[in-house]
Amino acid sequence: MDDRYEMVDGFKRLRAGRKLGYESLQARLMPGGRRAMKAAIIYLNTKARTIADIESALVIRSLHREDNLSQVEIAALLHRHKSFVCRRLALAEKLGDEVMDHLKLGLINITIGRELSRLPAGNQKKALTTVLKYGLTGSETAQLVRLLLKEPGWNHPLILGFPEKILSDRHAPRPRKDWCDGFHNRLVKMDVYLSGITTDQLNTCQPARVLPAIERIQVVLAGMHGHLKRW
């Protein structure tokens, strides 16, 4: 009989403990079979907010495919609504390998992954290339997917090569309202720091090393001063 234990939570804690040289760590035993332990992975890590949607999707797919549980049974096991299980299962089942890899690595977010999963697996890779090339957001990816699903296949290369309609609708991001407060605080700190520098300290500097930086700062500040004076 195999009397070994399997860890379902606390992997980061274990790595940290080993790095710090801990000889032991406190643990809690959880009785249950394989299905219960898979459910515990989602429950414990969701509660601690340390599990990504794609990770929970892969565990749910494992419960469905390897343990032969229905979506209703998985929902009951996880104490979640069936729609939660359905969305996660669709994400894991419909995504192509390349999109899945990008999700696992955090190169795209879950919204983009969910939108790409609406496309046939064979078309997802090309759409992903366009998303990455133009840095499309989740809502822009949704627009792209709608276009691809609506337009006939012979139009797809043109749409994917340059999604003009999506890019032309982009608006330049507005500066945050609190940006000026942060800018003012940095100027005050710079003023305090520079005002406190003594000639003795300056005498220890090599002019060829610091003068170019001072001149660049002078040009930038003069430009800002001139711009603000016109207001």
Side-chain angles (χ1 to χ4, degrees):
M1 181 177 177
D2 191 348
D3 58 354
R4 293 176 299 176
Y5 296 104
E6 186 166 349
M7 194 171 180
V8 297
D9 187 34
F11 296 96
K12 293 178 182 175
R13 211 159 40 246
L14 177 61
R15 284 198 298 269
R18 284 173 172 169
K19 208 166 189 178
L20 294 170
Y22 285 16
E23 294 184 0
S24 63
L25 287 172
Q26 190 175 22
R28 178 163 63 97
L29 294 178
M30 297 182 64
R34 186 173 63 176
R35 296 175 178 178
M37 291 303 100
K38 289 179 182 178
I41 291 173
I42 295 178
Y43 175 76
L44 293 172
N45 287 284
T46 300
K47 192 174 180 182
R49 298 182 180 180
T50 57
I51 188 169
D53 286 348
I54 189 61
E55 292 169 331
S56 64
L58 292 173
V59 175
I60 287 172
R61 183 175 67 177
S62 175
L63 286 168
H64 183 57
R65 293 297 178 190
E66 297 172 15
D67 298 302
N68 300 314
L69 294 182
S70 69
Q71 293 186 31
V72 174
E73 289 171 326
I74 296 171
L77 184 64
L78 300 178
H79 303 289
R80 301 297 294 262
H81 194 272
K82 183 189 170 185
S83 61
F84 170 86
V85 175
C86 183
R87 287 195 303 271
R88 296 298 185 276
L89 189 57
L91 187 65
E93 297 265 83
K94 295 180 180 179
L95 279 181
D97 292 340
E98 186 147 350
V99 180
M100 181 73 78
D101 289 342
H102 277 71
L103 260 177
K104 289 177 181 177
L105 294 171
L107 300 176
I108 57 174
N109 61 40
I110 194 68
T111 303
I112 291 174
R114 190 177 293 121
E115 290 299 333
L116 292 176
S117 72
R118 296 169 55 202
L119 295 171
N123 296 347
Q124 291 177 17
K125 183 177 179 180
K126 294 178 181 177
L128 174 64
T129 300
T130 300
V131 168
L132 296 174
K133 180 180 179 180
Y134 294 104
L136 300 187
T137 64
S139 60
E140 289 172 338
T141 303
Q143 286 181 262
L144 178 68
V145 170
R146 284 196 296 270
L147 277 173
L148 293 174
L149 293 174
K150 178 183 176 182
E151 296 290 329
W154 60 77
N155 281 344
H156 289 186
L158 185 63
I159 295 170
L160 293 170
F162 184 70
E164 182 179 3
K165 179 173 176 13
I166 297 172
L167 298 176
S168 62
D169 288 341
R170 276 183 170 175
H171 298 287
R174 294 182 178 180
R176 295 185 328 204
K177 290 182 178 179
D178 61 349
W179 181 87
C180 189
D181 292 336
F183 179 51
H184 176 261
N185 291 339
R186 286 178 173 84
L187 287 175
V188 170
K189 290 179 181 178
M190 184 186 294
D191 181 27
V192 172
Y193 175 73
L194 295 176
S195 299
I197 295 175
T198 65
T199 53
D200 287 339
Q201 289 173 312
L202 284 176
N203 290 337
T204 65
C205 294
Q206 297 175 1
R209 184 179 181 186
V210 298
L211 279 177
I214 293 174
E215 289 166 358
R216 286 195 299 271
I217 293 171
Q218 284 178 320
V219 171
V220 171
L221 290 177
M224 292 179 179
H225 184 271
H227 177 80
L228 293 171
K229 285 283 284 186
R230 290 196 297 268
W231 276 38

